[in-house]
Amino acid sequence: MSKSVSLVLGSGGARGLAHVGVIKYLEENDYQIKSIVGCSIGSAVGGFYCAGKLGEFESWMLSLDKSAIVSLLDISWSKSGLFKGEKVIDKMRDLIGEMKIEELPLPFTAVAADLEHEKEVWLNKGSLFDAIRASVSLPLFFTPFEINGIKLVDGGVLNPVPIAPTFGDNTDLKIAVNLGGPLEKQVESNSEVENKNDWSNSFKEIFDNLKKATGQKNDDSWGMYDVSDKAFDTMQSAIARQKIAAYPPDVEILIARNACGTYDFDRSREMIDLGYKKAKESLTSS
């Protein structure tokens, strides 16, 4: 007998490709997804799924290598963020065309954060890609995005796994995918480590070049990239634990926060497979 599901897709950068694997497992095992709430990368995956276009998103992600992703980064030269994010969102629009959230086949909510008023903002109408752009506005990395006169940033700042928007759903299960799970010991081949370091170094070079432009020396064991990446992951993991303790879902699917780096989108296949595996483990044991 099929079960209806309210699906919550959390924030966590490239680990969010695990959401694709989770959805694949649900579809293959007679779970009926009736609504999606997405935060940051979860809003992108969830938005494409609700539009009936997850296949296009997956194919795009699997086609990306380091140079392709770097080509999507448009320097903002502003104090509010390194990149404008327009190229990424324009590419999403090119894949499936402009859409309005209220016209999607399934209910969808993207969660962003209003820093000025210190509150979550639930985006469930208007432009799908404006909502996604606001929800993925990782502080320091992307500039904030303004909707209705309010400057919004990544929803993970306040709630990386936002379950509250599902409270009114009449579904059998609330399933949350938390990308900030406990650290897991990883065994990697030398080539995997080299590839990952090479990818991360592209972003480190950008940060280092900005430091050089302002006359700062690169003499720290942890650079600006490392500090921002580790700090945001740690913050999100702590917040997610608190939120889920207060409002537990019926099923929580945990993806270790060291499964891959925030920007390691060249590991999409690996993350998709991991999401499928973790969904199977969580749902067969629940």
Side-chain angles (χ1 to χ4, degrees):
M1 182 176 176
S2 66
K3 291 186 177 181
S4 59
V5 171
S6 296
L7 185 60
V8 180
L9 304 178
S11 66
R15 295 189 299 281
L17 271 296
H19 295 322
V20 177
V22 170
I23 290 172
K24 285 188 171 186
Y25 179 84
L26 293 175
E27 288 193 318
E28 291 176 11
N29 289 275
D30 208 22
Y31 291 90
Q32 303 297 316
I33 300 172
K34 296 298 185 181
S35 72
I36 290 185
V37 177
C39 182
S40 195
I41 184 66
S43 73
V45 175
F48 271 81
Y49 179 78
C50 289
K53 302 292 185 179
L54 187 61
E56 285 81 348
F57 181 82
E58 179 183 6
S59 296
W60 175 41
M61 289 291 105
L62 291 175
S63 74
L64 294 176
D65 56 19
K66 180 181 67 175
S67 60
I69 296 179
V70 171
S71 73
L72 291 171
L73 300 177
D74 39 6
I75 299 291
S76 71
W77 302 114
S78 77
K79 295 180 180 179
S80 59
L82 285 175
F83 306 107
K84 292 182 286 187
E86 293 175 3
K87 283 188 177 181
V88 173
I89 296 301
D90 286 345
K91 175 61 178 179
M92 291 185 184
R93 285 194 176 97
D94 289 344
L95 287 174
I96 64 174
E98 183 60 82
M99 294 188 175
K100 289 189 176 296
I101 294 174
E102 56 267 41
E103 297 173 356
L104 297 176
L106 289 175
F108 170 72
T109 301
V111 177
D114 174 359
L115 291 184
E116 183 178 355
H117 300 99
E118 300 179 355
K119 66 179 183 179
E120 295 176 35
V121 175
W122 299 353
L123 301 166
N124 50 27
K125 61 182 178 180
S127 165
L128 172 62
F129 293 110
D130 281 357
I132 292 173
R133 173 62 183 84
S135 186
V136 303
S137 298
L138 183 67
L140 179 63
F141 197 76
F142 284 131
T143 57
F145 189 77
E146 187 171 308
I147 294 179
N148 298 326
I150 302 173
K151 288 186 177 180
L152 301 172
V153 299
D154 193 307
V157 168
L158 294 177
N159 194 349
V161 192
I163 296 170
T166 69
F167 286 172
D169 291 355
N170 183 24
T171 51
D172 298 318
L173 292 174
K174 290 178 174 59
I175 299 176
V177 186
N178 181 358
L179 304 178
L183 299 176
E184 291 185 357
K185 183 177 180 180
Q186 296 172 308
V187 179
E188 301 172 317
S189 68
N190 289 333
S191 62
E192 285 176 323
V193 173
E194 288 171 1
N195 288 337
K196 187 165 64 174
N197 288 341
D198 186 41
W199 171 241
S200 298
N201 282 339
S202 295
F203 292 98
K204 289 181 180 180
E205 287 172 9
I206 293 172
F207 281 89
D208 288 344
N209 287 336
L210 289 174
K211 289 179 72 177
K212 289 178 182 178
T214 58
Q216 300 180 55
K217 295 181 180 180
N218 291 315
D219 54 2
D220 297 327
S221 58
W222 278 12
M224 191 188 306
Y225 165 88
D226 301 286
V227 173
S228 62
D229 189 30
K230 292 177 186 297
F232 198 70
D233 267 355
T234 301
M235 179 192 73
Q236 287 194 110
S237 180
I239 295 172
R241 288 196 300 271
Q242 295 172 356
K243 294 289 187 179
I244 288 176
Y247 304 107
D250 297 301
V251 178
E252 181 184 12
I253 299 171
L254 285 166
I255 306 296
R257 65 180 183 274
N258 64 333
C260 78
T262 302
Y263 312 117
D264 291 339
F265 286 94
D266 56 340
R267 298 175 67 187
S268 292
R269 168 52 61 194
E270 180 185 345
M271 291 301 103
I272 291 170
D273 292 344
L274 177 62
Y276 189 97
K277 174 187 174 184
K278 292 297 184 180
K280 181 178 181 179
E281 290 175 358
S282 299
L283 287 161
T284 55
S285 63
S286 61

